[in-house]
Amino acid sequence: MVELLGIFGLLVVLLRGAILCFQTVAVGGVLFLALVLRKAELRSEELLQSCWKLIRACALSLAISQLFFVIANSTVLMHSTDISLRGVFSANFVWAGVIAAGAALALFGWPSAVRNSRNPLVLLPAGLLLAASVMTSHSASRMEDRAALIGLTALHFLAAASWIGGLPYLLLSAKRLEYPKVKNLIARRFSVLAQVSVAMLFLAGLGMSWVYVGSWDAMYGTAYGVMLGSKIALFLVLLLLGLANFYIVRGLGRESGTGATSLMRFGEAEIGIGVSVILLAASMTSQPPGVDLTRDRVSMPEIAERFAPRVPRLSSPAVSEISESSKELAKKAVAVGRTMPAAFVPGDAGFGTNTPADIAWSEYNHNWAGLVVFLMGILALLSRSRYHSWAKIWPLVFLLLAIFLFFRADPENWPMGPNGFWESFSEAEVLQHRVAIVLIIAFAIFQYRVETNRVKSTTAELVFPAVCALGGVVLLTHTHSLSNVKEELLAELSHTPLAVCGIVAGWSRWLELRLPETNQSRKYLAWVWPICFILVGLILMDYHES
C-alpha cells in the first residue's frame, strides 16, 4: 500500500479535477438556463433538450466521480491508519461526497415535465453541489476567518460555473438556433453575465490569495504559491480571449457572418484553458496553503543561484555511476532503522540525496531535450514563411525526443534500470513520463502527415494542438515525491513555465486552424505557438540542479 501512495495522490488529483469540471459545467448549465435563457422567446425545444442533455451527462459523471473519490479516499485511509469503517463514515469528505452525489443524481433525474419551465427549484441541487465542494476545500478546514473564506470560496466556484461552465451552452445556442437576432441577443446576455463573473472571480480569488499565501516570499517560495502564479497567468490568457469575444459580441449584426464563427472558436479556447485552470485548482487542493508552510521555503537568493544562465551540459555519466533506485534506498533505510529525510539538510549524507552523477544525468537529459525542442521551434517558425517550405519536417524532430526520453527519463526503471516494466508503473512520476512519451509520438506522426498534406482531415489537424494543450495540463498537475521539499520546488519553478507555454501553444495553434480565414488574429497566432516552443527549449537548455 505504501508503494501505491504516489499513484493514489495522482488518482485523487484526477478525480478531484473531474469532479470540479463536471460540477462547473452542470451548475453552469443550470445558471445559463435561469439567467441567460430566462425569457421565453429565447428558448427553443431543440436548444433546451441539448442543454439538458449536457447537464444530465455531467451530473451523472459527477455522481460516479464522487463515488470513486469517496471509495479511494476511504480505502487508503483505512489501510494507512487504524480508523474503522464507522470512523471513515464520519469523515467530512464522505458526507460531502454523499451530498454531491445525491444532488447530481437529482439533476440527472430532474422531471422532464418541468425541465423546460422556469422552475427555480432546479437551483437547489446546483447549490448543494457547490456547497459540497466548499466542504472539502481549504476554507472549511481553516480555524481562522472560516466564515469569510467559505463565502469567498463559494463565490469563486459560482463565478467559475457562470463563466466557464456556461460557455458550452453558449456554443450550443449558436449551433441549435436558426435566427441570428436571437443568437446575438443570447450572446450579449451571456457577455454581461461573464463580465460580472470575471469580476467576482477576481475579487474572490484576491481575497483567498491574501489569506492562503500571506506574503511575497510564500508566493515564490512554496508549491502552493507557484501553482497560484501559474493559475494567475492562465487567468490573464482567459481575459484576453474574453476581451476578444467582448468585441466580437459588440460587432454582431454589424459585420459579415464570420463574427459568430469567431465567437465560437474563441469560446472553444476559453473552455479548454478554463478546464486547465480547474484541473490546476484541483491539484492545488493537494498542497498546503503557502501561509502554513513556514519552513523549507525557497528563498530568492536560492532561486537566483539556481536559475543563473549556464552553458548546457552535453556530456553524460554512465548508468553505473548514478545512485541506486529510490526503492532500494528505502529498503536499506528500513533495514538500518532509518527513515528517508523529509527535506535536504546541507552536509547530511543520508539516504536519498543526489550525488554529482545523479545531478549530471538529470541536467544532461533536460539540456539535450531543450536543444531538440529549440530546434523544433526554429523549424516551425521558419515553416510559417512561404520561403522555407522544407521546414515542414519539424514534427519529425519529436521522434528523436521520444526515443531520447524513453531511454533516459527514468534510469532506475526498465529498460535501463532494475525495476521491471510493469513494476515501474507503480510510481506516479514514471507513469506520467511514459504517458508523455506516447503523446509525443502520437502528435509527431500526425502532425508530420498534416504539415506535408498527406492527411487533409480537420480532425488530424487538431491532434497537434490538442496534444500540446493536454501535455501542458499533465505537466501542470505533475506531482513529485516529497523526499526533498526544496529541491522539488526548485524543479517545479522550471516545470511551471513549461506547462503554461505548452497550454498557450496548443490553444493558439487551435485558434489558428479554426478561426475564419478573414479573421486577422490568425496571422499573429501562427507565430505564437512556435515562439512558445522556442521558449520551452531555452528554459530546458538552462536547466540545472546545483
Side-chain angles (χ1 to χ4, degrees), residues 159 163 193-204 235 238-239:
W163 177 21
L193 176 62
Q195 293 173 53
V196 175
S197 299
V198 167
M200 292 168 52
L201 202 63
F202 172 76
L203 293 176
F235 178 71
L238 280 173
L239 287 182

Side-chain angles (χ1 to χ4, degrees), residues 158-210:
L158 179 64
S162 301
W163 177 21
I164 303 300
L167 279 169
Y169 303 91
L170 177 65
L171 300 187
L172 282 176
S173 301
K175 291 181 179 180
R176 295 291 184 265
L177 296 177
E178 298 181 2
Y179 302 104
K181 290 185 178 180
V182 176
K183 290 194 289 188
N184 295 349
L185 181 57
I186 290 176
R188 291 190 178 96
R189 291 176 65 88
F190 180 79
S191 179
V192 174
L193 176 62
Q195 293 173 53
V196 175
S197 299
V198 167
M200 292 168 52
L201 202 63
F202 172 76
L203 293 176
L206 183 64
M208 290 188 295
S209 300
W210 182 269

Side-chain angles (χ1 to χ4, degrees), residues 336-411:
V336 298
R338 297 185 61 179
T339 57
M340 301 291 283
F344 175 69
V345 179
D348 183 9
F351 295 99
T353 57
N354 286 335
T355 66
D358 296 332
I359 294 174
W361 181 279
S362 179
E363 290 180 353
Y364 174 88
N365 288 353
H366 284 83
N367 294 166
W368 267 105
L371 186 60
V372 172
V373 175
F374 180 78
L375 174 62
M376 187 282 301
I378 293 296
L379 290 175
L381 197 64
L382 291 175
S383 71
R384 300 301 93 188
S385 170
R386 65 177 182 270
Y387 302 109
H388 302 283
S389 59
W390 59 269
K392 292 182 182 296
I393 64 170
W394 64 262
L396 297 181
V397 177
F398 274 109
L399 293 178
L400 299 176
L401 180 63
I403 295 172
F404 180 83
L405 293 178
F406 178 73
F407 285 100
R408 300 279 309 187
D410 303 290

Side-chain angles (χ1 to χ4, degrees), residues 17-38:
I19 288 170
L20 290 179
C21 288
F22 292 135
Q23 167 193 294
T24 299
V25 179
V27 175
V30 173
L31 295 175
F32 189 87
L33 293 177
L35 301 176
V36 178
L37 298 185
R38 182 169 51 87

Side-chain angles (χ1 to χ4, degrees), residues 36-371:
V36 178
L37 298 185
R38 182 169 51 87
K39 294 184 178 181
E41 59 268 22
L42 300 179
R43 294 168 170 248
S44 70
E45 184 69 23
E46 183 182 6
L47 175 59
L48 290 174
Q49 288 181 0
S50 298
C51 290
W52 268 106
K53 184 178 180 179
L54 181 56
I55 292 173
R56 296 179 72 240
C58 290
L60 181 59
S61 300
L62 174 58
I64 295 173
S65 299
Q66 284 285 4
L67 176 63
F68 281 111
F69 183 81
V70 170
I71 291 175
N73 275 282
S74 300
T75 301
V76 171
L77 187 61
M78 287 189 297
H79 283 78
S80 58
T81 65
D82 295 328
I83 297 178
S84 63
L85 183 60
R86 174 177 292 185
V88 169
F89 283 157
S90 63
N92 186 54
F93 73 87
V94 174
W95 283 102
V98 170
I99 293 173
L105 291 176
L107 269 182
F108 175 74
W110 199 255
S112 57
V114 295
R115 285 180 195 162
N116 297 349
S117 65
R118 287 170 283 179
N119 192 330
L121 285 178
V122 73
L123 295 174
L124 179 59
L128 288 176
L129 289 178
L130 296 179
S133 280
V134 173
M135 287 177 62
T136 56
S137 66
H138 284 306
S139 62
S141 61
R142 306 295 296 182
M143 299 301 294
E144 303 86 9
D145 304 318
R146 179 183 295 176
L149 287 173
I150 287 177
L152 289 174
T153 303
L155 190 64
H156 200 68
F157 287 158
L158 179 64
S162 301
W163 177 21
I164 303 300
L167 279 169
Y169 303 91
L170 177 65
L171 300 187
L172 282 176
S173 301
K175 291 181 179 180
R176 295 291 184 265
L177 296 177
E178 298 181 2
Y179 302 104
K181 290 185 178 180
V182 176
K183 290 194 289 188
N184 295 349
L185 181 57
I186 290 176
R188 291 190 178 96
R189 291 176 65 88
F190 180 79
S191 179
V192 174
L193 176 62
Q195 293 173 53
V196 175
S197 299
V198 167
M200 292 168 52
L201 202 63
F202 172 76
L203 293 176
L206 183 64
M208 290 188 295
S209 300
W210 182 269
V211 175
Y212 291 146
V213 179
S215 61
W216 285 111
D217 59 336
M219 189 70 184
Y220 60 77
T222 65
Y224 188 92
V226 172
M227 297 173 79
L228 177 61
S230 59
K231 187 178 179 182
I232 292 173
L234 291 176
F235 178 71
L236 293 176
V237 176
L238 280 173
L239 287 182
L240 289 176
L241 294 173
L243 183 63
N245 273 340
F246 172 75
Y247 284 110
I248 291 174
V249 169
R250 287 184 59 182
L252 287 177
R254 301 196 302 268
E255 57 179 26
S256 63
T258 61
T261 303
S262 297
L263 180 66
M264 292 179 62
R265 302 309 177 224
F266 280 114
E268 292 170 357
E270 277 190 83
I271 293 173
I273 298 178
V275 168
S276 302
V277 174
I278 292 171
L279 293 175
L280 176 58
S283 186
M284 290 177 67
T285 61
S286 65
Q287 298 289 337
V291 70
D292 295 334
L293 190 64
T294 57
R295 301 178 60 185
D296 295 321
R297 287 184 180 179
V298 177
S299 65
M300 186 58 72
E302 289 173 315
I303 295 175
E305 180 182 1
R306 175 60 61 87
F307 294 100
R310 302 183 192 178
V311 177
R313 183 185 294 274
L314 302 179
S315 60
S316 169
V319 179
S320 58
E321 297 179 38
I322 63 178
S323 300
E324 296 177 273
S325 69
S326 57
K327 289 186 178 181
E328 291 299 321
L329 289 173
K331 291 177 182 178
K332 290 184 177 182
V334 173
V336 298
R338 297 185 61 179
T339 57
M340 301 291 283
F344 175 69
V345 179
D348 183 9
F351 295 99
T353 57
N354 286 335
T355 66
D358 296 332
I359 294 174
W361 181 279
S362 179
E363 290 180 353
Y364 174 88
N365 288 353
H366 284 83
N367 294 166
W368 267 105
L371 186 60

